[in-house]
Amino acid sequence: TNSAQTQQAIASGIQESIQCGVTALCDISVGGASYAQLRQAPIRSLVCTEILGLNPERLEPIWGECIKWLESHPGDSKTAVGISPHAPY
């Protein structure tokens, strides 16, 4: 989700990472919640939207949603975007 609490946690994590000398971050989340903040941050990043539920009956609509997300969230010279499958352990 993009709740205020989630966005504050993202901002805190980015700031703490920068303060500790991190030069690149990768974030995987449903819907790429960190995308806007990482695009604005002075750090290189990879933001991936996570694919959940690779049930064969739902695969086509889920894949379509991922493609739409990629098309509406362009990468640039310091922020790349991608798709990450959910990995149940």
Side-chain angles (χ1 to χ4, degrees):
T1 71
N2 282 332
S3 71
Q5 184 177 12
T6 298
Q7 291 303 309
Q8 180 57 46
I10 291 167
S12 295
I14 292 170
Q15 187 61 36
E16 184 175 335
S17 296
I18 292 168
Q19 289 173 347
C20 291
V22 173
T23 62
L25 288 172
C26 176
D27 181 54
I28 301 169
S29 62
V30 176
S34 65
Y35 174 80
Q37 290 193 55
L38 282 170
R39 288 258 334 228
Q40 299 300 315
I43 191 168
R44 292 176 291 135
S45 61
L46 169 60
V47 181
C48 294
T49 186
E50 187 174 37
I51 298 176
L52 295 170
L54 294 177
N55 175 327
E57 292 120 22
R58 296 234 336 110
L59 183 58
E60 192 170 319
I62 290 171
W63 186 250
E65 290 171 20
C66 286
I67 297 302
K68 285 180 189 175
W69 187 86
L70 287 173
E71 291 172 347
S72 65
H73 295 81
D76 60 24
S77 63
K78 70 172 194 59
T79 304
V81 294
I83 299 171
S84 177
H86 178 71
Y89 292 90

